[in-house]
Structure formats: structure tokens, C-alpha cells
Amino acid sequence: MRRRNYLAPDGAIIRPLPSCARDAKLLIELYRSMVLLRLFDRKAVALQRTGRLGTYAVSLGQEAVSVGIASAMRQEDVLLPSYRDNGALLWRGVKPEEILLFWGGDERGNQFSGPVHDFPFCVPVGSQAPHAAGVAYALKLRKQPRVAVCLFGDGATSKGDVYEAMNFAGVHKLPLVFVVTNNQWAISVPLRLQTASETLAQKAIAAGFSGEQVDGCDVVAMRAAAEEAIAAARDGNGPHFIEAVTYRLGDHTTSDDALRYRSAEEVQAHWKEEPIARLRSYLVGQKMWTKADEERLAAECHERIEAAVQRYLTTPPRRPETMFDNLYAELPEAYAAQRRELAGEDDA
Amino acid sequence: MPEVTLVEAVNLALGRAMADDPDVVLLGEDIGVNGGVFRATIGLQERFGPERVLDTPLAELLISGLCVGMAAQGLKPVGEIQFMGFIYPCLDQLVNHASRMRNRTQGRLTCPMVLRSPHGAGIRAPEHHSESTEAMLAHIPGLRVVMPSSPERAYGLLLAAIRDPDPVVFLEPTRLYRAAKGDVEDNGEALPLDHAFVLREGRDITLISWGAMLKETMAAADTLADDGIAAEVIDLATLKPYDENTVLGSVARTGRCVIVHEAAHTGGFGAEIAAMIAERGLSSLLAPVIRVTGYDTVIPMARLEQRYMPSVGRIVAAARKTCQYN
Ligand SMILES: Cc1ncc(C[n+]2csc(CCOP(=O)(O)OP(=O)(O)O)c2C)c(N)n1
């Protein structure tokens, strides 16, 4: 299976660029989003290390996947993300402070500024795939020109949930794009212990639809592949499966120490392929980006992130009794006393 | 005797069981080189090789189903589920197969497997990592559900679970993994299953709990002692089948009972114990049995989880109320 790519690790053009790459504004926007995500990640890790954030899943090295995919979606499309897809949420309008609230252990982070129909981060691996099939079925049933986009990791492809969703999506030709971020590792388990299949993309064959491998460090390739797949799904041509081949440069989460199971040399080697330097080299080579632009961007991101962190840190805590407030549409009378107890109201 | 943490005691028991019995096989996600996300299996792949300490694909239903197949062949598989929130895909295998293989085949095939999982809240973990749904498992006929509350009992009960000829779900209180320390001698001695442990004797009131909540329950007993109330504290340890006689014997002496669990109130395992006491021990009761439990909400994420969990204060208040009743 050929792996779709356009930009070499040094930013050189490998084959004729797709039409989206002629849009200079878009390329810059993709670049800016990847940089924002990387700096946001770095800040989140620092917050975790100083006890101000819970466990956090880093996107380091994978920025091109979630940014590339989300950039090809329309607002009315439906995103079903995994816990590592911060980049896609940010692109869709979720505020950085909302993402921090979620990882800081506050459910209000899921009451976010992104599209109201988008799903929250999915923590039980792969369990969002059947939701995506349900969403896509609903879109099709109502004849809406909208598409569901479901993101998950390579580990998730071992779960029945993912096979079951793919199978159903194939049967009903659903408007659904599956995107697996193949970052080579599911915590400490390497891909070769996850599957004996040569690619993950070929799993689509068994489900009766098309699949392809894309260089997940090439944001142009990610964007182009997503754009085509989403357009085809919108036109009624059914599902598509994108395997974004990338590499997790960081630890699995802030609770993980990747040096326990993989060598520093292996990680070092993959730094040569990472997506941000790659696009920057291309942009600089095309005279679309300068050192001054870079400095301005860094300052802007810094300011935006610091402001978000301030808003996060100064968000007043929820009152304990609010843990009942979104449990049911209306709190059943049976639980009113429990809510009063949490509110510290005397129940005598 | 060396002092070890609860998770180290689990590691010792697994190593001992594997050394004693070549049929013991471990399987799970990240349990090999990484030694498990809590390091319960650390060093075991080095010692026993990747065929007996198997990193599986990311598939919980597979882990539980593999255990059923291996066990039917006479192996003694010990599966690890990384967090209790991810145990639910195993339910199909546990309910429909593991728990009833012996019964379905009238003893021709059996299922001597153990499924281990961390249990419960209180470690500021992400969403879905803090489940305490033991009552759901304890409802399944044919299963054993065991939860240690100290390194000593983690060691002895896990050995017993692995040697047991039937399927056991072994729930390890995450909050105590590193917080609980105790002297454990790696002597291969098991502790009895289906047996409650009296952690503290007292004549005024019986406090019953299991797993991590025993920490607060014991602290509450200390506070009550300052009031002159002598609380007997029972660690139920095996929830399925549980030791009704130890519970009834204690309540017969004290006449009062408070049950403490972190899981949600309605349909929690406390309800089972209270009902059993009402059926078999009503005449010894001097006060209604009270449950101190988690609320009937989803266990909140880190910021509010402490407010969800039964506190020492809530246990003490319930015990006092019970003692004032006449
Ligand atoms: C069903 C389930 N099992 C186990 C876990 C614990 N866990 C969290 S992430 C992870 C590895 C996931 O790997 P992959 O799907 O490749 O995604 P990545 O983290 O690499 O993005 C595991 C085992 C989980 N969250 N959900």
C-alpha cells in the first residue's frame, strides 16, 4: 500500500501538491494551529508537574493528525475524538481553558465552546467508534449532508468496538470517516504485538470500504486525505478509513515513563520527521514564513495560553451538590436528600 | 519480615504462584516490559519469559475470554484489567461463560481463572478510572469476588484466588496500592477465601467494610473509641460468597451495625448485607442498620471526588446515630 505524502521530512516537495496546498492562508493557519498545540501541550505538562493539572495526554509529534483532520471538517460535521485529540478540539473552537478544566478533573470542561453536537474526549479506548456509526446513521436517516469523523489510536483497532462499528458503517454506507492515529505504541505495547496485519488501513477491506495510509507527519497529506474522504462521505459514497502513520515523541501521558519500554535513540530518530519543522521548512523555502513571523507567533501563543491558564486557575470550584445537577434531566425525588446532604443543608 | 506496599504484595504473590506452578500464566495490557501501569507485574516477564507473562493487544473482552479458554485447558490464567472502568467488556465472558462453565458442563470443563483489576476512586485519576462497581460482579452466580485491604491480605488472598478451582475477580484498592504498607513474608501461605477478617474487636457497634474504605472505617473506630464507643471492625474481604456468619455473630454481640462502601448507594453491596441481617439477625438488632456510601451519582472527576467518598466524619456520625437509637 502506498503511503500518501507530499512533503519530505526536510520540507521538500515529493510529488505535485494537492489543491489545498495552493491556499497559502490555509497552510499558515495549519502551521499556527500545530504550534499553538505544541506550546499548549508543553504548558499542560508543566501544570501537571506542579500539581495544578491531572494526568494529561500529550500530542507531541502528532500535531499534524488532529489539526489536519479537523481543518477539513465543517462546523456541522460531528467530531468523535479520543483523549489525545486536543488539536482537533482547539481547531473546532474549544477553548484551551476548557481542555485544562477537563484534565484538571472538572466536568465543566466538557461543556465546551466547540460545536454543541461534538462528542467529548473518549477515555475508554475505542468505545467512541460505535457512537460514530450511530451518529452517521442518524445523519443519513435524516438525509443531512453532514459527516461523522471518528478518531482513535492504533491500540483501539484491537477492540471489537472498532470492528463492529466499521462493519456496520460498511453495510449501511454511512457518511463516516475513521481516522486511526498510528503512533506505533499503545502505552508500552508496540504495533507488532497489537496486530500482525501489515497496515491498519487494510482493515477497511474486510469492512467493505476504502482505506489508505497517510504520512501523519505531513499535514498537507492529512488535510488532503481528510478533505477527499469527507467530501466523498458527504456525497453519499460511504465510509473511508485513514491510517495516519506518525510517532508519539512524548510519554504516553504524564503518568508514563516511555524510557522504560523504548530507547532514546528510537525517539531521537523520529524527531527528524516531526510535522512542525517539516511544514516550517516548506513555508520558509516558499518565502511564506519568516523568522519574524515565527517570533510573533510564539509571543501570540504564549499570551493566549497564559490567559487561558489564568482563567483555568481562577475558575471557582463547583459546589459539591452540583454533582447531581446533570445526572438526569430532572433530579428524581429519591435523590433530593442526598443532594441536600452534599449542600450541607440540614435534613432534619 | 520485610515491609511492603500492597502493590508489592500483589507482585510477590504473582511471582510466588508462577514459581510454584508452571501452569500459572499472566496476561494483560502493558504487563510485560512495563510491569503494568501500577507495576504489579514488574520483573515477572524477565523472570518467567514473554510466553508466561503475555502483553495482549488492547482488548479486554479478549483478555477475559482467553482466560476462559486457557483455564478450560487446565492453565491458571491471571488476567489484568488496567482499571475497573475497562472491565465492562469482560462482563459478557464473566457472566455467560467463566461463572457458569462448571455448571453448564456439569463439571466436565472448569474455569480456574483470576481476573485482577484496580478498584475505586481517590487517586485523582482521569474519567472512567475510578469505578467501584463490585456489587455488579458480586451479583453473578458462580463467581468469587475478592478485595484485599492490606498487603498481608493482598498476598494471601491472591495466592488463594490463583489456587482456587473456580473463577475469581480480584479487585485491588487503587488508593491503597502504595499507601498501605505491611509486613509480608513471601512464604507461599494463602489466606482463606469466603472468610471475613475481624480487624478490631468491640462490643458496642459493628462496622463492616471492604477494600480502601477500611482506612476511613478504622479511623472512625478510633474516633468512636474516644467517645467510649467500642466498635468492632470487619473486613468482608470476599464479597461473593461472603461470610454471613462472622457478620451475624458480630451483630449478635453488638446489636448495631453500620456498613461502609464507596460505591453508589442504591443496589450497592451494603444493601445485601443489611437485608441479610434483617432476615437472619433481626432479633439481635437494637437499631436500624445504616449504610454510609458514595452518592447515587457518577463518581465525579478529581476535583470533587473527595466529596463523593464517605468521610470519617460521615461514618462517625452514622455510628453515633445508631448508638443513640433505642
Ligand atoms: C478500554 C480501555 N482499556 C485500557 C485503557 C487504558 N489505556 C489508556 S490509553 C491506552 C493505550 C491506547 O493506545 P492507542 O489506542 O494506540 O492510543 P494512543 O494512546 O497511542 O493515542 C490504554 C491501554 C483504556 N483507556 N481503555
Side-chain angles (χ1 to χ4, degrees), chain A residues 107 188 194 260 338 341, chain B residues 30 42 58 295-296 301 303:
Chain A
E107 286 80 355
S188 72
Q194 207 66 247
R260 298 177 61 87
Q338 292 187 27
E341 182 181 328
Chain B
D30 301 290
I42 193 112
L58 202 165
Y295 295 100
D296 279 308
M301 279 163 42
R303 287 220 176 161

Side-chain angles (χ1 to χ4, degrees), chain A residues 320 323 341-344, chain B residues 295 304-309 314:
Chain A
M323 68 175 84
E341 182 181 328
L342 271 165
Chain B
Y295 295 100
L304 282 185
E305 71 178 337
Q306 283 310 325
R307 291 305 304 268
Y308 167 91
M309 314 267 278
R314 278 171 66 197

